Amino acid sequence: MQLHKLTPTELLKAIGIGIGTALLLSAVMVPALRLGISPLPKPLGLAFAETVLGSPLPLPIGLLFHVAYVTAWSVLYVALFRHALTLVNALLLGLFLWLLVLFVFFPIVGWGVLGLAITPKLILASLVPHLLFAVFLWCLSRIGFRKTRSAAFERG
C-alpha cells in the first residue's frame, strides 16, 4: 500500500468528499441521538473534544472535531486508494475506524473498552455509523473522481 501524491485539484476534491461525508453522517447521527435511537450518551466527537479541552462544550464544537476527523480519514482513503476507490476499500477503512473507536476513543472519553462502561449496545451502535461512513465515502468518491468520457478516450 502506497500513498498516491494527489494533485491540488484531487486534494481539494478529497477534502470536499470528507466534509460531505461528515455532514451526511451528522445528518443521520444527530437526530438519532436527539430522538433516543442511539444509545451513545453524547456524540463521540463532542465527548472527545470535551476530554481534550477539559470542559463542557456546545455541540457545534464536537461537530467540528467530527468533520476534521472524517475529512482527514477521507483524504487518506483517496491518497491510499486513488486508483481503487472501491466499496470494499471504503468498508475496510470503516471497519478499521470502528475498531479504533472501540479500543482507543471509547476508553479515552471514559466509556471503557468497547463502550462497556456505558452499555454493550455501543458496540453495534458504533458500527452503524462506520458502515454509513464507508457507503457515503465510496459514493461521494465515485462522484468526485468519476472518469469523464473524454479522459477515457484520451488514454486510448
Side-chain angles (χ1 to χ4, degrees):
M1 202 176 313
Q2 179 183 346
L3 284 176
H4 296 275
K5 184 169 173 40
L6 300 177
T7 67
T9 300
E10 290 173 326
L11 180 59
L12 286 174
K13 282 183 186 180
I15 291 169
I17 288 165
I19 292 169
T21 299
L23 293 176
L24 288 169
L25 285 169
S26 295
V28 172
M29 297 312 298
V30 170
L33 278 162
R34 294 245 164 112
L35 295 171
I37 297 168
S38 172
L40 274 73
K42 62 176 69 174
L44 183 56
L46 178 59
F48 182 74
E50 290 176 342
T51 300
V52 169
L53 299 175
S55 64
L57 298 167
L59 179 60
I61 300 298
L63 291 174
L64 284 175
F65 267 70
H66 181 254
V67 169
Y69 180 79
V70 169
T71 300
W73 284 105
S74 298
V75 170
L76 184 63
Y77 167 77
V78 172
L80 280 174
F81 303 111
R82 175 60 190 94
H83 300 294
L85 299 172
T86 65
L87 179 58
V88 170
N89 286 336
L91 284 169
L92 289 173
L93 177 59
L95 292 174
F96 168 76
L97 295 175
W98 175 57
L99 293 173
L100 195 65
V101 161
L102 294 175
F103 292 100
V104 177
F105 285 98
F106 279 177
I108 286 173
V109 301
W111 298 352
V113 173
L114 304 175
L116 295 176
I118 304 298
T119 175
K121 293 178 183 177
L122 290 189
I123 298 168
L124 185 58
S126 61
L127 175 62
V128 171
H130 287 88
L131 293 175
L132 288 173
F133 162 80
V135 171
F136 293 154
L137 176 61
W138 174 68
C139 287
L140 292 176
S141 294
R142 284 183 52 92
I143 293 167
F145 289 98
R146 72 175 147 234
K147 294 179 180 127
T148 62
R149 195 174 185 122
S150 61
F153 285 125
E154 288 172 12
R155 282 189 220 134

